[in-house]
Amino acid sequence: MTPRLACFDLDNTLIDRDGAFLAWAQWWGRREGLGADGVEWLLAHDQGGFRPRADLFAGVKERFGLAADVTTMVDAYDREHPPFVSVARAVVAGLVSLRTAGWRVAVVTNGGVLQQSLKLERTGIGAVVDYCCISEAVGVRKPDPRIFKIAATQTGATLIGGWMVGDHPAYDIAGGIAAGLSTVLVGNHHPTAATPRRAPTRHFASVLQAFPAILNS
Ligand SMILES: [Mg+2]
């Protein structure tokens, strides 16, 4: 029998991306001498990571009169913020439990290859899943359902009876539904992006609740 596929978003689903951004902002702001205003400005303009980094750093450069050019700052950010990311051990255990039960497990994330790879390596998540599908590497982004088909092909799994777990109603939930997957919405990071047409199969406060729900499906 062809194994079923469980897909997981990375940022603010498997890992606390916003917490890592805050920790990075405090460190970077101190290093650059931005003062308390710097961290506040970064948090106010980050848009949960969805604001293009070139825009973010162009803004911080202008606001605080920084000398470095924007490209250099973005490149440094891509390398320097992944070490601030951590993962709960229970999350890693949950991913392992799915594979032990015969599921194929994939991370499906929109983002750049360098920073997402560093996060997957740093947290150990990359080592316990079957495949990591990074949009920049495969040339397709969520919510395009083709990204889930790529994950199924790469893991030798079927999308039938599969799941997508994520925190974003438009990218993770609508995308998963378009690919024919059952879905779990995690947390309440994007309340304004929710619509009835993207109603998830389940909605949990934490990704930890998704593991038993999938195992029992
Ligand atoms: Mg996310």
Side-chain angles (χ1 to χ4, degrees):
M1 205 173 89
T2 311
R4 292 195 284 167
L5 182 65
C7 301
F8 292 84
D9 169 53
L10 183 62
D11 291 316
N12 286 332
T13 296
L14 293 175
I15 62 173
D16 176 11
R17 183 265 162 207
D18 290 348
F21 184 81
L22 170 61
W24 167 84
Q26 289 168 333
W27 169 82
W28 190 77
R30 238 188 336 269
R31 193 184 75 182
E32 300 296 322
L34 305 188
D37 284 1
V39 175
E40 204 175 301
W41 191 96
L42 286 162
L43 293 180
H45 294 83
D46 173 44
Q47 291 172 7
F50 286 97
R51 182 172 185 174
R53 299 297 91 171
D55 286 357
L56 182 73
F57 282 99
V60 80
K61 176 181 166 71
E62 185 181 337
R63 167 68 180 75
F64 294 94
L66 300 179
D69 67 77
V70 171
T71 308
T72 304
M73 286 195 280
V74 172
D75 287 349
Y77 170 81
D78 284 349
R79 278 180 284 105
E80 290 170 347
H81 88 279
F84 290 93
V85 172
S86 62
V87 67
R89 289 173 71 158
V91 169
V92 174
L95 294 169
V96 170
S97 74
L98 283 171
R99 286 181 78 193
T100 303
W103 288 79
R104 294 289 156 85
V105 179
V107 173
V108 180
T109 175
N110 284 352
V113 171
L114 173 63
Q115 59 169 312
Q116 298 307 74
S117 298
L118 288 172
K119 290 182 205 171
L120 290 160
E121 187 184 322
R122 152 100 190 162
T123 56
I125 291 170
V128 299
V129 299
D130 293 288
Y131 176 59
C132 296
C133 195
I134 302 173
S135 64
E136 187 183 70
V138 298
V140 185
R141 293 171 60 82
K142 296 177 288 187
D144 190 325
R146 287 179 296 171
I147 197 166
F148 302 101
K149 293 204 180 86
I150 292 168
T153 302
Q154 291 292 328
T155 58
T158 175
L159 290 172
I160 297 168
W163 289 81
M164 170 61 191
V165 180
D167 70 299
H168 201 288
Y171 300 140
D172 299 319
I173 304 309
I177 291 169
L181 298 166
S182 297
T183 55
V184 175
L185 180 64
V186 172
N188 193 26
H189 292 280
H190 309 280
T192 57
T195 75
R197 283 173 39 228
R198 297 172 188 147
T201 314
R202 309 292 297 268
H203 185 185
F204 297 128
S206 162
V207 69
L208 293 176
Q209 296 161 285
F211 300 117
I214 296 172
L215 284 167
N216 292 325
S217 69

